[in-house]
């Protein structure tokens, strides 16, 4: 039987989950420990009740096809929502199976003593859009410094990203919450990060911050027109909610190029934008990967590329033509090609470069 409990920490800025009885994971070759102890650390105190572990474990348990016993009481609404979420995920992915959550359930007050509203903030287009459009409501920005898209080994990038996120938070007059975790060391052995697990990981952080926040906003990855099964999704994100914490998915009604247009006039966004997932050589933005070139193109469409301090001022069309577009890269390229032709014309060199890259990708 899989058992989930809390290692209560003397320092409330840390939280540790203890899990025993997990079967051999389906991904990776390295030996897997009999007991895992994922850890979260934060600039702010973390909840020690163990209520966050339901979000952390649900997707992992669904991959094992085994029930789990939670030593800590779980919020009744969260358990009910989990059943709905599992049904959706199991329909998306045939190899996932709905599982039983064995735990004492408690009915928490419908309102939390904490009143803060946090927005997850990586410094990217989606998070800047959510902050800019919800600026009056948001009280805190949540930056996961290490353990999500920034690896613990990328020390220089971590320091630079933290400096930039702190500067952005200061410019907006918001309090920055900084979190680090090693959860991916374990979750990546059971679930793909972007495709399935990262929404759960974000919700876990939100639950751990319930001493300070009553609502967390997860910026959307895709617009309504481009929705598909993904780790963060408007159908599933709200189902991570509990009596004491509302989880909200925000921004899916807006296409990415429209988000870029919305933040292009925001001085703070143009000064601190961070969108790269390659980070070659520890670069804040490499300016050469698909995501960098995609964002540069979207800024180019609204005549704001030269205003962005963190990206090259000119698009190298040779780099665009050489891109190997797959999955979401093809989706965004198709949308940008349509927009480029509309605003720049069919003889525009950037339009022609993207069109060629897209055509070549369809042959792969």
């Amino acid at each position: 039987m899989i058992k989930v409990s809390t290692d209560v920490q003397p320092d409330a800025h840390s939280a540790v989950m203890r899990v025993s009885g997990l079967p051999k994971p389906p991904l990776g070759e390295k030996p897997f420990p009999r007991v895992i102890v994922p850890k979260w650390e934060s600039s702010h105190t973390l909840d020690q009740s163990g209520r966050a572990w339901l979000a952390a474990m649900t997707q992992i348990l669904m991959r094992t096809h085994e029930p789990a016993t939670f030593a800590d009481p779980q919020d009744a609404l969260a358990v009910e929502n989990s059943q709905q979420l599992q049904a959706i995920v199991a329909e998306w992915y045939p190899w996932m199976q709905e599982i039983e959550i064995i735990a004492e359930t408690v009915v928490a007050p419908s309102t939390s003593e904490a009143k803060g509203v946090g927005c997850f903030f990586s410094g990217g287009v989606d998070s800047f859009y959510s902050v800019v459009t919800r600026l009056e409501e948001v009280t805190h920005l949540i930056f996961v410094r290490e353990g999500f898209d920034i690896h613990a080994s990328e020390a220089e990038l971590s320091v630079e990203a933290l400096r930039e996120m702190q500067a952005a938070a200061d410019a907006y007059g918001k309090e920055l919450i900084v979190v680090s975790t090693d959860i991916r060391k374990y979750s990546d052995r059971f679930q793909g990060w972007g495709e399935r697990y990262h929404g759960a990981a974000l919700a876990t952080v939100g639950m751990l911050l319930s001493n300070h926040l009553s609502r967390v906003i997860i910026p959307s990855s895709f617009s309504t027109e481009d929705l598909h099964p993904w780790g963060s999704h408007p159908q599933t994100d709200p189902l991570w909610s509990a009596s004491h914490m509302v989880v909200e998915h925000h921004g899916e009604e807006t296409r990415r190029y429209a988000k870029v247009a919305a933040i292009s006039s925001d001085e703070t966004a143009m000064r601190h934008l961070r969108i790269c997932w390659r980070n070659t050589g520890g670069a804040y933005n490499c300016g050469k990967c698909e995501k960098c070139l995609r964002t540069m193109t979207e800024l180019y469409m609204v005549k704001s590329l030269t205003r962005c301090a963190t990206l090259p001022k000119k698009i190298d069309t040779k780099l665009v033509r050489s891109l190997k577009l797959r999955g979401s890269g093809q989706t965004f390229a198709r949308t940008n090609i349509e927009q480029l032709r509309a605003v720049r014309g069919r003889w525009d060199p950037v339009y022609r470069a993207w069109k060629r890259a897209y055509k070549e990708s369809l042959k792969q």
Side-chain angles (χ1 to χ4, degrees):
M1 172 70 73
I2 299 170
K3 297 182 180 180
V4 184
S5 60
T6 302
D7 275 0
V8 177
Q9 301 298 296
D11 179 0
H13 291 80
S14 297
V16 176
M17 175 175 69
R18 176 175 290 270
V19 185
S20 62
L22 281 170
K24 182 180 178 180
L27 304 173
E29 300 296 331
K30 292 182 179 180
F32 196 73
R34 295 175 61 87
V35 177
I36 66 170
V37 283
K39 185 175 184 178
W40 290 258
E41 296 180 331
S42 175
S43 57
H44 291 55
T45 58
L46 297 175
D47 176 57
Q48 301 289 321
S49 71
R51 294 179 295 184
W53 307 150
L54 183 62
M57 287 301 299
T58 297
Q59 299 261 14
I60 293 174
L61 294 171
M62 290 185 71
R63 188 67 188 269
T64 69
H65 301 178
E66 295 187 19
T69 298
F70 287 75
D72 303 297
Q74 297 298 310
D75 178 75
L77 178 60
V79 173
E80 180 182 338
N81 284 342
S82 173
Q83 294 169 346
Q84 297 180 54
L85 181 143
Q86 288 184 49
I88 294 170
V89 172
E91 185 176 351
W92 285 350
Y93 305 111
W95 60 89
M96 304 274 276
Q97 183 174 302
E98 296 179 57
I99 48 89
E100 181 184 5
I101 301 297
I102 304 169
E104 176 189 352
T105 57
V106 294
V107 179
S110 58
T111 57
S112 171
E113 292 184 6
K115 300 300 181 185
V117 177
C119 183
F120 283 99
F121 188 67
S122 65
V125 169
D126 299 319
S127 57
F128 264 116
Y129 176 79
S130 290
V131 171
V132 168
T133 56
R134 301 285 289 273
L135 195 58
E136 293 187 7
E137 179 185 357
V138 170
T139 58
H140 297 71
L141 306 185
I142 308 166
F143 173 53
V144 181
R145 176 180 178 177
E146 292 177 358
F148 280 12
D149 63 325
I150 300 177
H151 194 272
S153 64
E154 298 175 299
E156 291 185 10
L157 175 60
S158 173
V159 170
E160 183 179 9
L162 175 59
R163 182 172 61 247
E164 296 290 336
M165 297 308 99
Q166 185 64 66
D170 291 345
Y172 289 133
K174 307 299 178 183
E175 189 171 345
L176 186 69
I177 299 175
V178 183
V179 178
S180 298
T181 180
D182 63 354
I183 184 60
R184 286 194 66 178
K185 181 166 68 174
Y186 309 105
S187 66
D188 281 0
R189 299 292 300 275
F190 291 91
Q191 295 288 8
W193 175 250
E195 299 91 338
R196 286 177 288 281
Y197 191 74
H198 77 281
L202 291 167
T204 300
V205 171
M207 294 296 172
L208 287 170
L209 293 171
S210 61
N211 295 337
H212 313 279
L213 309 173
S214 61
R215 177 186 296 267
V216 291
I217 297 169
I218 298 179
S220 63
S221 302
F222 298 96
S223 65
T224 303
E225 295 89 341
D226 300 322
L227 283 176
H228 57 277
W230 194 246
S232 170
H233 192 282
Q235 280 185 266
T236 54
D237 284 354
L239 292 174
W240 295 117
S241 298
S243 301
H244 59 291
M245 175 65 67
V246 175
V247 180
E248 178 184 350
H249 185 94
H250 175 260
E252 73 274 12
E253 72 287 345
T254 307
R255 301 294 286 264
R256 182 182 167 88
Y257 64 79
K259 288 184 178 182
V260 170
I263 68 172
S264 65
S265 59
D266 185 88
E267 182 179 345
T268 301
M270 293 296 94
R271 187 176 295 168
H272 304 291
L273 190 66
R274 183 180 80 89
I275 41 83
C276 190
W277 52 28
R278 286 286 180 85
N279 304 113
T280 306
Y284 189 74
N285 290 318
C286 73
K288 298 178 180 179
C289 69
E290 182 274 329
K291 197 172 183 184
C292 281
L293 290 167
R294 178 209 313 171
T295 307
M296 291 164 63
T297 298
E298 291 157 343
L299 287 165
Y300 168 78
M301 284 193 281
V302 294
K303 300 181 180 180
S304 295
L305 179 55
T306 57
R307 297 189 61 241
C308 184
T310 62
L311 286 165
K313 307 302 182 188
K314 187 176 180 180
I315 298 170
D316 186 336
T317 54
K318 290 183 180 180
L319 286 176
V320 174
R321 288 194 297 271
S322 68
L323 289 174
K324 309 297 183 184
L325 301 172
R326 299 179 180 87
S328 61
Q330 287 186 350
T331 301
F332 288 119
R334 185 171 59 249
T335 302
N336 283 343
I337 288 167
E338 294 170 359
Q339 282 299 114
L340 272 167
R341 177 157 184 164
V343 300
R344 291 283 186 166
R346 64 191 182 96
W347 299 111
D348 179 81
V350 177
Y351 163 77
R352 293 170 71 86
W354 276 103
K355 188 174 181 180
R356 178 173 174 179
Y358 181 71
K359 283 186 173 181
E360 289 298 317
S361 73
L362 298 179
K363 299 176 183 178
Q364 297 172 18

